Amino acid sequence: MSKADSSKSFTFSAAVWIRDGVLIDRMPLNALAFAYCYQAILLKQIHTNPHHTGLRTIPSISTLTNFALAKSGISCADKAGAFGDSAMDDDTANQVASLYNQLCAVAGSQCQYFPGAVELLKDLQQAGVHNFISSALEQEVLDHWLTSEQGLALAPHLAEVLGKREAFAKGKEHFAHVAKLTRRQTPQPILYVADARQEILQAKSCQTSFNLIIVGFAHCLKKEKFARADELILTSIKGHRHLIESPLGVYLNNEAGRADKQGALLDLNILELPAESGLANAGADLIVEGAGSEIFNLLRQKLQAPS
């Protein structure tokens, strides 16, 4: 722990963190990336098979973004398979996820950690707390991220990054793994910090089994961040050949593309931002709420207890 925290101690043995939306400020990017990738793959599917009866309408970017925000916490492929009645089978949903991973590998690298995030995990580690990231992303995607500049900034303070593997997924399996590793040394609780209602509900269902302290991370989202994320996506696609040649690049230049609309496919007026109350209603034990610049300082204050 830092000198300023020398009179404090943490009362949990491990901390499980959501990467996107808790450690890294990229919820707007993730939601928009899902929307653009879903629409691009759907357009490709329609052009390949224009007579498919289940593909009559193309949902708007704003509609898809709202859906992604509402379903935050589940994988991209699961979101794609769950949206509406567009007849997207598992193979097509996986194409959306693959394209999403390619786009986010580029655009996500431009996103920043919340101020104080890296420092808090460093202090936790020095205090003997084991830090884990739990994600619905495929393990190989996370392993690649961990070797990037962004990943390397946090890697020294992590015990492990947990992604989707065979018979091993975000939720109960991840919590069981953390409990098995850390409770050999101490019976203290496990902290879980998440920003999505679905994640809180999932943790609540097995809270007793793993002695979880569930923290709802209610970062106050502003619509202006979605406009910046929208521009970041466009810049990322245009600046990378493999994305220009992907269905995203094709989409940007076809009759539905944004080249003739100056980027105005996202309607900020109809965005539905998640309510902070949803995390408390889902069963979080503690809510930390604030702007991006202050939320980790607030979290630190709530997590520390007199020694």
Side-chain angles (χ1 to χ4, degrees):
M1 295 174 61
S2 63
K3 291 182 179 179
D5 302 321
S6 59
S7 64
K8 302 287 186 176
S9 64
F10 298 100
T11 58
F12 41 88
S13 61
V16 179
W17 303 87
I18 298 301
R19 188 191 69 168
D20 299 348
V22 172
L23 296 175
I24 301 176
D25 184 3
R26 54 176 276 184
M27 182 186 280
L29 173 69
N30 286 10
L32 273 166
F34 167 80
Y36 281 113
C37 292
Y38 184 100
Q39 199 174 79
I41 294 298
L42 188 60
L43 280 164
K44 175 186 174 183
Q45 195 175 36
I46 290 173
H47 293 160
T48 302
N49 187 6
H51 303 296
H52 195 302
T53 57
L55 301 172
R56 297 173 181 172
T57 60
I58 301 173
S60 72
I61 290 298
S62 299
T63 295
L64 287 164
T65 301
N66 285 337
F67 177 79
L69 289 170
K71 295 295 183 181
S72 179
I74 67 173
S75 72
C76 180
D78 287 342
K79 286 189 188 79
F83 181 79
D85 58 353
S86 59
M88 187 166 281
D89 57 26
D90 288 347
D91 179 65
T92 310
N94 286 332
Q95 291 181 47
V96 175
S98 177
L99 189 58
Y100 171 90
N101 288 339
Q102 293 178 56
L103 175 58
C104 286
V106 174
S109 67
Q110 303 302 308
C111 295
Q112 303 297 318
Y113 288 101
F114 283 103
V118 175
E119 293 81 2
L120 178 55
L121 268 68
K122 178 181 179 180
D123 285 349
L124 286 170
Q125 181 197 42
Q126 291 179 350
V129 175
H130 303 275
N131 292 305
F132 296 82
I133 285 177
S134 177
S135 174
L137 286 169
E138 296 81 1
Q139 187 66 53
E140 56 267 26
V141 173
L142 293 167
D143 290 344
H144 180 74
W145 167 78
L146 201 56
T147 65
S148 69
E149 181 179 357
Q150 189 180 71
L152 288 171
L154 194 63
H157 316 307
L158 295 172
E160 193 172 355
V161 177
L162 307 176
K164 184 179 180 181
R165 312 170 195 165
E166 186 175 355
F168 186 73
K170 180 180 175 182
K172 185 176 181 179
E173 289 93 347
H174 283 187
F175 293 135
H177 179 78
V178 172
K180 182 179 179 181
L181 289 180
T182 60
R183 294 214 176 116
R184 294 171 182 168
Q185 303 164 347
T186 172
Q188 288 182 318
I190 295 170
L191 182 78
Y192 180 52
V193 188
D195 65 312
R197 176 179 170 82
Q198 177 60 33
E199 292 162 344
I200 302 296
L201 288 170
Q202 190 177 52
K204 196 69 179 178
S205 70
C206 55
Q207 181 174 25
T208 302
S209 299
F210 303 113
N211 194 15
L212 302 175
I213 301 172
I214 304 172
V215 179
F217 188 89
H219 168 225
C220 298
L221 285 172
K222 302 294 184 182
K223 290 186 177 181
E224 291 76 13
K225 284 196 171 186
F226 288 83
R228 291 196 292 270
D230 194 47
E231 184 58 34
L232 175 58
I233 286 174
L234 178 60
T235 302
S236 297
I237 294 170
K238 290 186 175 181
H240 293 80
R241 183 173 179 178
H242 70 288
L243 292 176
I244 292 174
E245 294 175 349
S246 75
L248 280 168
V250 173
Y251 163 69
L252 285 172
N253 293 299
N254 70 14
E255 67 276 6
R258 49 195 294 178
D260 296 331
K261 301 180 182 181
Q262 299 181 339
L265 286 185
L266 174 66
D267 187 348
L268 295 176
N269 294 320
I270 62 174
L271 277 186
E272 299 172 1
L273 303 184
E276 288 81 7
S277 60
L279 301 181
N281 294 339
D285 301 309
L286 177 70
I287 299 292
V288 58
E289 178 182 352
S293 60
E294 64 179 359
I295 193 165
F296 261 87
N297 284 333
L298 297 172
L299 177 60
R300 178 187 286 271
Q301 293 169 20
K302 291 192 175 188
L303 294 184
Q304 291 173 328
S307 53

